[in-house]
Amino acid sequence: MRPAEVAGHWGYLRAVAEALEAAGLPVADWRADPGVPRDGWIPFDRGRPSVVTWEHDQAGLSWSEVDGWSLLLINTPGRRTAVRLAVPLVAAPFSLVRAVADQAGHILQPGDSPTSMDFDGPPGTPEFEHALSRYA
């Protein structure tokens, strides 16, 4: 894997985490794994005030360059639900904010709109890597 590919992946997940924070959906941290396929995890911080109330022990987003985005809802002991989000593979950060808010039943304020940078092409292509590199 080339360094630019890793930087795009890490920068992309960081940009999504920052967009979630800015929208009032606090995250505990974020992790981008450079393995094959590349993936990552953004857990929500349930200890801070949020625009949504999670009725689960844990909630967060997972991303894989193969499977895209899912909202993970975890209840102890060991009950885990993955809800695939209807967003492109490399969704613009605001598109993910809107998808999470929709799943949680939260209405975003009027005037909030995506900066349409969604990309839904196949991984491993130059176009896919370019879409990720926008966030490096």
Side-chain angles (χ1 to χ4, degrees):
M1 192 171 316
R2 297 183 305 269
E5 293 172 354
V6 173
H9 169 231
W10 286 67
Y12 177 52
L13 287 163
R14 183 188 66 235
V16 170
E18 289 171 355
L20 291 164
E21 282 280 343
L25 295 159
V27 300
D29 60 10
W30 60 273
R31 182 182 73 224
D33 297 324
V36 177
R38 292 173 284 184
D39 60 12
W41 163 246
I42 303 172
F44 294 110
D45 186 345
R46 295 195 38 202
R48 295 189 307 166
S50 176
V51 297
V52 302
T53 302
W54 299 108
E55 297 178 11
H56 305 277
D57 295 333
Q58 296 178 348
L61 292 177
S62 69
W63 178 81
S64 161
E65 68 182 333
V66 173
D67 298 322
W69 287 98
S70 292
L71 176 63
L72 297 179
L73 306 170
I74 302 166
N75 292 314
T76 309
R79 287 190 16 210
R80 175 178 142 164
T81 302
V83 179
R84 293 280 309 248
L85 297 177
V87 296
L89 184 59
V90 181
F94 185 84
S95 294
L96 283 157
V97 169
R98 182 169 296 287
V100 170
D102 288 349
Q103 283 294 323
H106 177 71
I107 305 300
L108 294 177
Q109 296 300 314
D112 291 338
S113 61
T115 57
S116 189
M117 292 176 59
D118 291 337
F119 176 80
D120 209 16
T125 63
E127 295 83 8
F128 178 82
E129 297 307 328
H130 176 71
L132 283 179
S133 72
R134 293 180 197 150
Y135 302 98

